[in-house]
Amino acid sequence: MRRRLLAPAVLLLATALGCTEADPGASGPPPALPAAEPEVRPLGRIVPLPASVKPGGAPYALTAATRVGASGHPGVRAVAEQLAAHLRPATGFRLPVVADPAADLALALDPAAAALGDEGYELRSAPGRLTLTARTPAGLYRGVQTVRQQLPADIERTTVRHRSWKIAGGTVRDVPRFPYRGAMLDVARHFFTVDEVKAYVDRVALYKYNVLHLHLSDDQGWRIAVASRPRLTAVGAAAEVGGGPGGFYTREQYRELVRYAAARHIEVVPEIDLPGHTNAALVSYPELTCDGKAPEPHTGIDTGFSSLCAEKEETYAFAADVLGEIAALTPGRFLHIGGDEADSTAPADYRAMTDRFQPLVARHGKKVMAWHQLAVDGVPAPGTLIQYWGLDRTPGAEKEKVAEAVRAGAGVVLSPADRAYLDMKYADDTPLGLRWAGTVSVRRSYEWDPGAYLPGVPESSVAGVEAPLWTETLSTPEHLDTMAFPRLPGLAELGWSPAGGRDWDTYRVRLGEQAHRWDALGIAWYRSPEVPWPAGR
Ligand code: ACM
């Protein structure tokens, strides 16, 4: 996947963002923000930072008479309905969606706006008129997230608030830096229900993520029904870390998740981890092991002990069945075949298996996505998307293997574990999370440049960024919230915003202001001492 070349001018930098009274030094907690939000949020003071902002003029105000205008295009109408549904509970306004382009809050497609690309949008705000224009419904949907964030955080509440609802005057013209901005959820180590995953989708949608990567199988559990292999769920889904009951998605539930994400212009990338991380599959079908013996179900958190058997033809029949069914359920472009931590697979066997698994993905018209070991120990098929999860200190030779794959035509998604893994502890005293990659502070997760991260991998080969959330220590939606917030929004900004407009000292103020919104949304965020939070929170 190649990045489109888009270079919009960054018109607004620190000056318009203004008033960062927070201490720029790293030591000590920064001074608190005012307890209350401003009545009108300065234009562009949102996360992710827009590419271009021209503030000016008086604000637009939502009123009881506001109508939401949408053309007859079903995609536009759907986004307009989503926006109106979002704005109604807190405003109490009727907000009818009408086919009138002169409505005061109007959404429109402009197919000729090539510079807006697949997800860009333009927002114009003035008294009596707010317009959102994009080349695609996805662009309008991203723009809707800007509308939400420009409004007071109370807009996220589910009961009526009697107050003004203003959006600062001016123009935002915004396009993403990278086309791939992913959030990964591990539903294998601990299982999360359809509703819990939907709640996570809602959270990532607010920050303009466009991929939900679901890690659907691992040593502890198999989480998706496969009709041709019923024991995967009848047997392999019944465990999770710590001995809980586990669980799985039926095919219809998985389709429902795909639809839910698609309605938010988010593509689902399903992962079936092969040939390691397969204990749950081996428990279900012992004929897949080399010795034919069923291993014990695994409820611990160690890795690297399980492997499919390269010599057995059953292995390839199994992979063909599973990947074929998952491909049929998934409209998205990619099937992720894992490939990581196959520590008990002999190198020749790894190569033999991954050489045969990859064409199974292509057979169904999908592209391979895999963890970067495929580039180290295997040979990625042309067009593969390699997901890098190494560390700053990963040996150069390993990084060079990724660069080699890129020269052979692969793209890269960056998830460096010591930057982007949301399950790493923030600090030594963080109760949840792991620390094998070190602690990952909010600042550390924010201060790196995906376009210049891996030597020999030019920005043009970086598809984007992904924030994985592994769940060995996380078993409730509140746990997910605590590890994702406040780092998830920063990784969204790395994927979306131009590198030149970002810096930690202004970012941490914008981030602190988001706390009003997280409280309104009921998000169980972590109160990092690195960020200036609103006083009293
Ligand atoms: C991984 O964290 N094993 C991809």
Short mmCIF file of all heavy atoms in Angstrom, two decimals, residues 465-527:
data_model
loop_
_atom_site.label_atom_id
_atom_site.label_comp_id
_atom_site.label_asym_id
_atom_site.label_seq_id
_atom_site.Cartn_x
_atom_site.Cartn_y
_atom_site.Cartn_z
N VAL A 465 0.55 3.62 10.85
CA VAL A 465 0.86 3.33 12.25
C VAL A 465 -0.26 2.46 12.80
O VAL A 465 -1.42 2.62 12.41
CB VAL A 465 0.89 4.66 13.05
CG1 VAL A 465 1.14 4.41 14.52
CG2 VAL A 465 1.93 5.60 12.48
N GLU A 466 0.10 1.54 13.70
CA GLU A 466 -0.95 0.80 14.40
C GLU A 466 -0.64 0.72 15.88
O GLU A 466 0.52 0.51 16.27
CB GLU A 466 -1.11 -0.60 13.82
CG GLU A 466 -2.32 -1.33 14.40
CD GLU A 466 -2.56 -2.67 13.75
OE1 GLU A 466 -2.97 -2.70 12.58
OE2 GLU A 466 -2.35 -3.69 14.44
N ALA A 467 -1.67 0.87 16.69
CA ALA A 467 -1.55 0.82 18.15
C ALA A 467 -2.13 -0.50 18.65
O ALA A 467 -3.35 -0.63 18.77
CB ALA A 467 -2.31 1.99 18.76
N PRO A 468 -1.27 -1.51 18.92
CA PRO A 468 -1.79 -2.78 19.41
C PRO A 468 -2.12 -2.73 20.91
O PRO A 468 -1.41 -2.12 21.69
CB PRO A 468 -0.64 -3.77 19.15
CG PRO A 468 0.25 -3.08 18.14
CD PRO A 468 0.14 -1.62 18.51
N LEU A 469 -3.20 -3.39 21.26
CA LEU A 469 -3.59 -3.53 22.66
C LEU A 469 -3.71 -5.02 22.97
O LEU A 469 -4.72 -5.67 22.65
CB LEU A 469 -4.90 -2.78 22.92
CG LEU A 469 -5.38 -2.66 24.37
CD1 LEU A 469 -4.24 -2.28 25.32
CD2 LEU A 469 -6.49 -1.63 24.49
N TRP A 470 -2.62 -5.56 23.53
CA TRP A 470 -2.58 -6.98 23.92
C TRP A 470 -3.20 -7.11 25.29
O TRP A 470 -3.07 -6.21 26.13
CB TRP A 470 -1.13 -7.47 23.93
CG TRP A 470 -0.44 -7.34 22.61
CD1 TRP A 470 0.40 -6.35 22.22
CD2 TRP A 470 -0.55 -8.23 21.49
NE1 TRP A 470 0.83 -6.57 20.93
CE2 TRP A 470 0.26 -7.72 20.45
CE3 TRP A 470 -1.25 -9.42 21.26
CZ2 TRP A 470 0.39 -8.34 19.22
CZ3 TRP A 470 -1.11 -10.04 20.03
CH2 TRP A 470 -0.30 -9.51 19.02
N THR A 471 -3.83 -8.27 25.54
CA THR A 471 -4.69 -8.32 26.73
C THR A 471 -4.30 -9.41 27.74
O THR A 471 -5.15 -9.89 28.47
CB THR A 471 -6.17 -8.50 26.31
OG1 THR A 471 -6.28 -9.72 25.56
CG2 THR A 471 -6.64 -7.34 25.47
N GLU A 472 -3.02 -9.74 27.80
CA GLU A 472 -2.62 -10.73 28.82
C GLU A 472 -3.05 -10.28 30.22
O GLU A 472 -3.44 -11.10 31.05
CB GLU A 472 -1.10 -10.92 28.83
CG GLU A 472 -0.56 -11.71 27.65
CD GLU A 472 -0.09 -10.79 26.54
OE1 GLU A 472 -0.64 -9.68 26.39
OE2 GLU A 472 0.83 -11.21 25.80
N THR A 473 -2.95 -9.00 30.51
CA THR A 473 -3.27 -8.50 31.86
C THR A 473 -4.57 -7.70 31.89
O THR A 473 -4.89 -7.10 32.92
CB THR A 473 -2.14 -7.58 32.40
OG1 THR A 473 -2.11 -6.39 31.59
CG2 THR A 473 -0.79 -8.26 32.36
N LEU A 474 -5.28 -7.68 30.77
CA LEU A 474 -6.46 -6.79 30.66
C LEU A 474 -7.69 -7.65 30.42
O LEU A 474 -7.78 -8.36 29.43
CB LEU A 474 -6.27 -5.81 29.50
CG LEU A 474 -4.90 -5.10 29.43
CD1 LEU A 474 -4.82 -4.21 28.20
CD2 LEU A 474 -4.65 -4.29 30.69
N SER A 475 -8.66 -7.56 31.34
CA SER A 475 -9.81 -8.46 31.22
C SER A 475 -11.14 -7.73 31.23
O SER A 475 -12.18 -8.38 31.13
CB SER A 475 -9.77 -9.49 32.35
OG SER A 475 -9.75 -8.83 33.60
N THR A 476 -11.14 -6.41 31.35
CA THR A 476 -12.41 -5.67 31.38
C THR A 476 -12.31 -4.47 30.43
O THR A 476 -11.20 -3.99 30.14
CB THR A 476 -12.72 -5.13 32.79
OG1 THR A 476 -11.76 -4.08 33.09
CG2 THR A 476 -12.64 -6.21 33.86
N PRO A 477 -13.44 -3.93 30.00
CA PRO A 477 -13.40 -2.72 29.16
C PRO A 477 -12.71 -1.56 29.87
O PRO A 477 -12.04 -0.74 29.22
CB PRO A 477 -14.88 -2.40 28.91
CG PRO A 477 -15.58 -3.71 29.10
CD PRO A 477 -14.81 -4.46 30.14
N GLU A 478 -12.82 -1.48 31.20
CA GLU A 478 -12.14 -0.41 31.93
C GLU A 478 -10.62 -0.56 31.82
O GLU A 478 -9.89 0.43 31.72
CB GLU A 478 -12.56 -0.41 33.41
CG GLU A 478 -14.00 0.01 33.65
CD GLU A 478 -15.03 -1.03 33.24
OE1 GLU A 478 -14.70 -2.25 33.22
OE2 GLU A 478 -16.17 -0.64 32.91
N HIS A 479 -10.16 -1.81 31.86
CA HIS A 479 -8.72 -2.04 31.67
C HIS A 479 -8.28 -1.54 30.29
O HIS A 479 -7.22 -0.91 30.15
CB HIS A 479 -8.40 -3.53 31.78
CG HIS A 479 -8.53 -4.10 33.15
ND1 HIS A 479 -8.51 -5.45 33.39
CD2 HIS A 479 -8.68 -3.50 34.36
CE1 HIS A 479 -8.64 -5.68 34.71
NE2 HIS A 479 -8.74 -4.49 35.30
N LEU A 480 -9.08 -1.83 29.26
CA LEU A 480 -8.72 -1.38 27.91
C LEU A 480 -8.62 0.15 27.90
O LEU A 480 -7.66 0.73 27.37
CB LEU A 480 -9.76 -1.83 26.87
CG LEU A 480 -10.02 -3.33 26.75
CD1 LEU A 480 -11.03 -3.60 25.63
CD2 LEU A 480 -8.73 -4.11 26.48
N ASP A 481 -9.63 0.80 28.48
CA ASP A 481 -9.64 2.27 28.52
C ASP A 481 -8.37 2.82 29.18
O ASP A 481 -7.75 3.76 28.69
CB ASP A 481 -10.83 2.77 29.35
CG ASP A 481 -12.11 2.86 28.54
OD1 ASP A 481 -12.07 2.63 27.32
OD2 ASP A 481 -13.16 3.17 29.16
N THR A 482 -8.02 2.22 30.32
CA THR A 482 -6.94 2.78 31.11
C THR A 482 -5.60 2.71 30.38
O THR A 482 -4.76 3.59 30.51
CB THR A 482 -6.84 2.02 32.46
OG1 THR A 482 -8.11 2.13 33.09
CG2 THR A 482 -5.79 2.62 33.36
N MET A 483 -5.41 1.65 29.59
CA MET A 483 -4.15 1.55 28.86
C MET A 483 -4.19 2.34 27.55
O MET A 483 -3.16 2.83 27.07
CB MET A 483 -3.81 0.07 28.59
CG MET A 483 -3.66 -0.76 29.86
SD MET A 483 -2.56 -0.04 31.10
CE MET A 483 -0.96 -0.52 30.48
N ALA A 484 -5.38 2.48 26.97
CA ALA A 484 -5.48 3.20 25.68
C ALA A 484 -5.49 4.71 25.87
O ALA A 484 -4.96 5.45 25.04
CB ALA A 484 -6.74 2.76 24.93
N PHE A 485 -6.09 5.17 26.96
CA PHE A 485 -6.21 6.62 27.17
C PHE A 485 -5.30 7.02 28.33
O PHE A 485 -5.48 6.54 29.42
CB PHE A 485 -7.67 6.99 27.46
CG PHE A 485 -8.53 6.86 26.25
CD1 PHE A 485 -9.13 5.65 25.95
CD2 PHE A 485 -8.70 7.93 25.39
CE1 PHE A 485 -9.91 5.52 24.81
CE2 PHE A 485 -9.48 7.80 24.25
CZ PHE A 485 -10.08 6.59 23.96
N PRO A 486 -4.30 7.88 28.08
CA PRO A 486 -4.24 8.81 26.95
C PRO A 486 -3.28 8.49 25.80
O PRO A 486 -2.98 9.40 25.04
CB PRO A 486 -3.80 10.11 27.64
CG PRO A 486 -2.95 9.67 28.77
CD PRO A 486 -3.40 8.29 29.16
N ARG A 487 -2.85 7.25 25.56
CA ARG A 487 -1.87 7.08 24.48
C ARG A 487 -2.49 6.90 23.10
O ARG A 487 -1.89 7.29 22.09
CB ARG A 487 -0.95 5.89 24.80
CG ARG A 487 0.00 6.18 25.96
CD ARG A 487 0.88 5.00 26.31
NE ARG A 487 0.10 3.88 26.84
CZ ARG A 487 0.63 2.88 27.54
NH1 ARG A 487 1.93 2.84 27.78
NH2 ARG A 487 -0.13 1.89 27.99
N LEU A 488 -3.69 6.30 23.06
CA LEU A 488 -4.33 6.05 21.76
C LEU A 488 -4.51 7.30 20.89
O LEU A 488 -4.24 7.28 19.69
CB LEU A 488 -5.69 5.38 22.01
CG LEU A 488 -6.51 4.98 20.81
CD1 LEU A 488 -6.09 3.61 20.29
CD2 LEU A 488 -7.99 4.94 21.16
N PRO A 489 -4.95 8.43 21.47
CA PRO A 489 -5.11 9.64 20.64
C PRO A 489 -3.78 10.12 20.05
O PRO A 489 -3.75 10.62 18.92
CB PRO A 489 -5.70 10.68 21.61
CG PRO A 489 -6.37 9.86 22.67
CD PRO A 489 -5.50 8.64 22.82
N GLY A 490 -2.69 9.99 20.80
CA GLY A 490 -1.39 10.45 20.30
C GLY A 490 -0.91 9.64 19.12
O GLY A 490 -0.34 10.18 18.16
N LEU A 491 -1.15 8.33 19.16
CA LEU A 491 -0.75 7.50 18.03
C LEU A 491 -1.62 7.81 16.81
O LEU A 491 -1.15 7.74 15.67
CB LEU A 491 -0.79 6.03 18.42
CG LEU A 491 0.34 5.70 19.41
CD1 LEU A 491 0.01 4.48 20.25
CD2 LEU A 491 1.67 5.51 18.69
N ALA A 492 -2.87 8.18 17.05
CA ALA A 492 -3.72 8.63 15.94
C ALA A 492 -3.12 9.88 15.30
O ALA A 492 -3.12 10.03 14.07
CB ALA A 492 -5.13 8.92 16.45
N GLU A 493 -2.62 10.76 16.15
CA GLU A 493 -2.05 12.01 15.62
C GLU A 493 -0.78 11.72 14.80
O GLU A 493 -0.54 12.36 13.77
CB GLU A 493 -1.76 12.97 16.77
CG GLU A 493 -1.18 14.29 16.30
CD GLU A 493 -1.53 15.46 17.20
OE1 GLU A 493 -2.72 15.65 17.52
OE2 GLU A 493 -0.61 16.20 17.57
N LEU A 494 0.02 10.75 15.24
CA LEU A 494 1.21 10.38 14.45
C LEU A 494 0.81 9.90 13.06
O LEU A 494 1.53 10.12 12.09
CB LEU A 494 2.00 9.28 15.16
CG LEU A 494 3.17 9.75 16.01
CD1 LEU A 494 2.75 10.62 17.16
CD2 LEU A 494 3.95 8.55 16.53
N GLY A 495 -0.31 9.19 13.00
CA GLY A 495 -0.75 8.67 11.72
C GLY A 495 -1.44 9.70 10.85
O GLY A 495 -1.40 9.61 9.62
N TRP A 496 -2.07 10.68 11.47
CA TRP A 496 -2.89 11.63 10.71
C TRP A 496 -2.18 12.95 10.41
O TRP A 496 -2.22 13.46 9.29
CB TRP A 496 -4.20 11.93 11.47
CG TRP A 496 -5.11 12.86 10.73
CD1 TRP A 496 -4.99 14.22 10.65
CD2 TRP A 496 -6.22 12.51 9.91
NE1 TRP A 496 -5.98 14.74 9.85
CE2 TRP A 496 -6.75 13.70 9.38
CE3 TRP A 496 -6.85 11.28 9.59
CZ2 TRP A 496 -7.87 13.73 8.54
CZ3 TRP A 496 -7.97 11.31 8.76
CH2 TRP A 496 -8.46 12.51 8.24
N SER A 497 -1.52 13.52 11.38
CA SER A 497 -1.13 14.94 11.29
C SER A 497 0.24 15.12 10.63
O SER A 497 1.11 14.27 10.78
CB SER A 497 -1.09 15.56 12.69
OG SER A 497 -2.31 15.31 13.36
N PRO A 498 0.44 16.24 9.93
CA PRO A 498 1.76 16.49 9.35
C PRO A 498 2.82 16.56 10.43
O PRO A 498 2.59 17.11 11.51
CB PRO A 498 1.61 17.88 8.70
CG PRO A 498 0.16 18.17 8.69
CD PRO A 498 -0.49 17.34 9.74
N ALA A 499 3.99 15.97 10.14
CA ALA A 499 5.05 15.91 11.15
C ALA A 499 5.44 17.30 11.63
O ALA A 499 5.70 17.52 12.81
CB ALA A 499 6.26 15.18 10.57
N GLY A 500 5.44 18.27 10.74
CA GLY A 500 5.93 19.60 11.07
C GLY A 500 5.07 20.36 12.06
O GLY A 500 5.54 21.30 12.70
N GLY A 501 3.83 19.97 12.22
CA GLY A 501 2.94 20.73 13.10
C GLY A 501 2.86 20.20 14.51
O GLY A 501 2.13 20.74 15.33
N ARG A 502 3.63 19.15 14.79
CA ARG A 502 3.46 18.48 16.08
C ARG A 502 4.60 18.80 17.04
O ARG A 502 5.76 18.80 16.64
CB ARG A 502 3.46 16.96 15.90
CG ARG A 502 2.40 16.42 15.01
CD ARG A 502 2.27 14.91 15.23
NE ARG A 502 3.39 14.14 14.72
CZ ARG A 502 4.31 13.57 15.50
NH1 ARG A 502 4.24 13.67 16.82
NH2 ARG A 502 5.30 12.88 14.97
N ASP A 503 4.29 19.04 18.28
CA ASP A 503 5.33 19.03 19.31
C ASP A 503 4.68 18.71 20.65
O ASP A 503 3.49 18.97 20.86
CB ASP A 503 6.10 20.36 19.36
CG ASP A 503 5.27 21.45 19.96
OD1 ASP A 503 5.26 21.57 21.20
OD2 ASP A 503 4.59 22.16 19.20
N TRP A 504 5.46 18.12 21.52
CA TRP A 504 4.93 17.58 22.78
C TRP A 504 4.30 18.66 23.65
O TRP A 504 3.26 18.46 24.27
CB TRP A 504 6.06 16.85 23.51
CG TRP A 504 5.75 16.51 24.95
CD1 TRP A 504 6.32 17.04 26.05
CD2 TRP A 504 4.76 15.58 25.41
NE1 TRP A 504 5.77 16.49 27.19
CE2 TRP A 504 4.80 15.60 26.82
CE3 TRP A 504 3.84 14.74 24.77
CZ2 TRP A 504 3.97 14.80 27.60
CZ3 TRP A 504 3.01 13.95 25.55
CH2 TRP A 504 3.07 13.98 26.95
N ASP A 505 4.92 19.82 23.71
CA ASP A 505 4.44 20.83 24.66
C ASP A 505 3.07 21.40 24.29
O ASP A 505 2.26 21.67 25.18
CB ASP A 505 5.49 21.93 24.82
CG ASP A 505 6.69 21.39 25.58
OD1 ASP A 505 6.48 20.69 26.59
OD2 ASP A 505 7.83 21.60 25.13
N THR A 506 2.80 21.55 23.02
CA THR A 506 1.45 21.98 22.67
C THR A 506 0.50 20.79 22.66
O THR A 506 -0.66 20.91 23.03
CB THR A 506 1.40 22.71 21.31
OG1 THR A 506 2.02 21.89 20.32
CG2 THR A 506 2.09 24.05 21.36
N TYR A 507 1.05 19.62 22.26
CA TYR A 507 0.19 18.44 22.21
C TYR A 507 -0.37 18.10 23.59
O TYR A 507 -1.55 17.80 23.75
CB TYR A 507 0.95 17.23 21.65
CG TYR A 507 0.17 15.95 21.79
CD1 TYR A 507 -1.01 15.78 21.06
CD2 TYR A 507 0.54 14.95 22.68
CE1 TYR A 507 -1.78 14.63 21.20
CE2 TYR A 507 -0.21 13.80 22.83
CZ TYR A 507 -1.37 13.65 22.09
OH TYR A 507 -2.13 12.52 22.25
N ARG A 508 0.49 18.16 24.61
CA ARG A 508 0.00 17.68 25.91
C ARG A 508 -1.09 18.59 26.47
O ARG A 508 -1.94 18.14 27.25
CB ARG A 508 1.13 17.48 26.91
CG ARG A 508 1.85 18.71 27.33
CD ARG A 508 2.86 18.29 28.38
NE ARG A 508 3.68 19.40 28.83
CZ ARG A 508 4.49 19.33 29.87
NH1 ARG A 508 4.59 18.23 30.57
NH2 ARG A 508 5.22 20.37 30.22
N VAL A 509 -1.13 19.83 26.03
CA VAL A 509 -2.23 20.71 26.43
C VAL A 509 -3.51 20.30 25.70
O VAL A 509 -4.59 20.15 26.30
CB VAL A 509 -1.88 22.19 26.17
CG1 VAL A 509 -3.08 23.09 26.49
CG2 VAL A 509 -0.67 22.59 27.00
N ARG A 510 -3.40 20.11 24.38
CA ARG A 510 -4.58 19.65 23.61
C ARG A 510 -5.09 18.33 24.17
O ARG A 510 -6.30 18.08 24.22
CB ARG A 510 -4.22 19.47 22.13
CG ARG A 510 -4.44 20.69 21.28
CD ARG A 510 -4.23 20.42 19.80
NE ARG A 510 -2.86 20.08 19.52
CZ ARG A 510 -2.45 18.94 18.98
NH1 ARG A 510 -3.33 18.02 18.62
NH2 ARG A 510 -1.17 18.71 18.77
N LEU A 511 -4.14 17.45 24.56
CA LEU A 511 -4.52 16.14 25.09
C LEU A 511 -5.23 16.29 26.43
O LEU A 511 -6.27 15.67 26.67
CB LEU A 511 -3.26 15.28 25.24
CG LEU A 511 -3.46 13.86 25.73
CD1 LEU A 511 -4.30 13.05 24.74
CD2 LEU A 511 -2.11 13.17 25.97
N GLY A 512 -4.68 17.14 27.28
CA GLY A 512 -5.31 17.34 28.59
C GLY A 512 -6.75 17.83 28.45
O GLY A 512 -7.63 17.42 29.21
N GLU A 513 -6.97 18.68 27.46
CA GLU A 513 -8.33 19.19 27.25
C GLU A 513 -9.32 18.10 26.86
O GLU A 513 -10.53 18.24 27.05
CB GLU A 513 -8.30 20.28 26.16
CG GLU A 513 -7.58 21.52 26.61
CD GLU A 513 -7.26 22.49 25.47
OE1 GLU A 513 -7.39 22.12 24.29
OE2 GLU A 513 -6.89 23.63 25.79
N GLN A 514 -8.79 17.00 26.30
CA GLN A 514 -9.67 15.90 25.90
C GLN A 514 -10.32 15.22 27.11
O GLN A 514 -11.29 14.48 26.97
CB GLN A 514 -8.88 14.85 25.11
CG GLN A 514 -8.36 15.33 23.77
CD GLN A 514 -9.42 15.35 22.71
OE1 GLN A 514 -10.18 14.41 22.56
NE2 GLN A 514 -9.51 16.45 21.98
N ALA A 515 -9.78 15.44 28.29
CA ALA A 515 -10.32 14.76 29.48
C ALA A 515 -11.80 15.10 29.69
O ALA A 515 -12.58 14.26 30.16
CB ALA A 515 -9.51 15.13 30.71
N HIS A 516 -12.18 16.32 29.35
CA HIS A 516 -13.60 16.69 29.47
C HIS A 516 -14.46 15.70 28.66
O HIS A 516 -15.53 15.26 29.09
CB HIS A 516 -13.84 18.09 28.90
CG HIS A 516 -13.15 19.19 29.66
ND1 HIS A 516 -13.58 19.63 30.89
CD2 HIS A 516 -12.09 19.96 29.34
CE1 HIS A 516 -12.80 20.62 31.31
NE2 HIS A 516 -11.88 20.85 30.39
N ARG A 517 -13.97 15.40 27.46
CA ARG A 517 -14.71 14.53 26.54
C ARG A 517 -14.72 13.09 27.06
O ARG A 517 -15.73 12.41 27.02
CB ARG A 517 -14.03 14.63 25.16
CG ARG A 517 -14.84 14.20 23.98
CD ARG A 517 -14.27 14.81 22.69
NE ARG A 517 -14.24 16.25 22.81
CZ ARG A 517 -15.26 17.05 22.47
NH1 ARG A 517 -16.36 16.54 21.95
NH2 ARG A 517 -15.17 18.36 22.63
N TRP A 518 -13.56 12.64 27.54
CA TRP A 518 -13.51 11.25 28.04
C TRP A 518 -14.45 11.09 29.24
O TRP A 518 -15.10 10.05 29.37
CB TRP A 518 -12.08 10.88 28.44
CG TRP A 518 -11.10 11.05 27.32
CD1 TRP A 518 -11.38 11.06 25.98
CD2 TRP A 518 -9.69 11.26 27.45
NE1 TRP A 518 -10.22 11.25 25.27
CE2 TRP A 518 -9.16 11.38 26.13
CE3 TRP A 518 -8.81 11.35 28.53
CZ2 TRP A 518 -7.81 11.60 25.88
CZ3 TRP A 518 -7.47 11.55 28.28
CH2 TRP A 518 -6.97 11.67 26.96
N ASP A 519 -14.51 12.10 30.08
CA ASP A 519 -15.44 12.00 31.21
C ASP A 519 -16.88 11.94 30.71
O ASP A 519 -17.69 11.15 31.20
CB ASP A 519 -15.26 13.21 32.15
CG ASP A 519 -13.99 13.08 32.99
OD1 ASP A 519 -13.43 11.97 33.05
OD2 ASP A 519 -13.56 14.10 33.57
N ALA A 520 -17.19 12.77 29.71
CA ALA A 520 -18.57 12.77 29.18
C ALA A 520 -18.90 11.42 28.55
O ALA A 520 -20.06 10.98 28.58
CB ALA A 520 -18.73 13.90 28.16
N LEU A 521 -17.89 10.77 27.99
CA LEU A 521 -18.11 9.48 27.32
C LEU A 521 -17.99 8.30 28.28
O LEU A 521 -18.20 7.16 27.90
CB LEU A 521 -17.08 9.31 26.19
CG LEU A 521 -17.32 10.16 24.94
CD1 LEU A 521 -16.08 10.19 24.06
CD2 LEU A 521 -18.51 9.63 24.15
N GLY A 522 -17.62 8.56 29.52
CA GLY A 522 -17.48 7.48 30.49
C GLY A 522 -16.24 6.63 30.28
O GLY A 522 -16.21 5.44 30.60
N ILE A 523 -15.18 7.23 29.76
CA ILE A 523 -13.93 6.50 29.51
C ILE A 523 -13.09 6.50 30.79
O ILE A 523 -12.88 7.55 31.40
CB ILE A 523 -13.16 7.15 28.33
CG1 ILE A 523 -13.95 6.95 27.03
CG2 ILE A 523 -11.74 6.57 28.22
CD1 ILE A 523 -13.37 7.66 25.83
N ALA A 524 -12.59 5.31 31.16
CA ALA A 524 -11.82 5.16 32.40
C ALA A 524 -10.34 5.46 32.13
O ALA A 524 -9.51 4.57 32.14
CB ALA A 524 -12.00 3.75 32.96
N TRP A 525 -9.99 6.72 31.90
CA TRP A 525 -8.64 7.09 31.47
C TRP A 525 -7.66 7.15 32.64
O TRP A 525 -8.04 7.33 33.80
CB TRP A 525 -8.66 8.43 30.73
CG TRP A 525 -9.33 9.56 31.44
CD1 TRP A 525 -10.68 9.77 31.55
CD2 TRP A 525 -8.70 10.64 32.15
NE1 TRP A 525 -10.92 10.91 32.28
CE2 TRP A 525 -9.73 11.46 32.66
CE3 TRP A 525 -7.38 10.98 32.40
CZ2 TRP A 525 -9.47 12.61 33.40
CZ3 TRP A 525 -7.11 12.13 33.13
CH2 TRP A 525 -8.15 12.93 33.64
N TYR A 526 -6.37 7.03 32.26
CA TYR A 526 -5.28 7.04 33.24
C TYR A 526 -4.76 8.47 33.38
O TYR A 526 -4.46 9.14 32.40
CB TYR A 526 -4.17 6.11 32.76
CG TYR A 526 -2.83 6.34 33.43
CD1 TYR A 526 -2.67 6.09 34.79
CD2 TYR A 526 -1.74 6.80 32.71
CE1 TYR A 526 -1.45 6.30 35.41
CE2 TYR A 526 -0.51 7.02 33.32
CZ TYR A 526 -0.38 6.77 34.68
OH TYR A 526 0.83 6.99 35.28
N ARG A 527 -4.63 8.91 34.62
CA ARG A 527 -4.25 10.29 34.90
C ARG A 527 -2.73 10.42 34.91
O ARG A 527 -2.10 10.52 35.96
CB ARG A 527 -4.85 10.70 36.26
CG ARG A 527 -4.98 12.17 36.43
CD ARG A 527 -5.64 12.49 37.77
NE ARG A 527 -5.93 13.90 37.86
CZ ARG A 527 -5.03 14.85 37.93
NH1 ARG A 527 -3.75 14.55 37.96
NH2 ARG A 527 -5.39 16.12 37.97
#
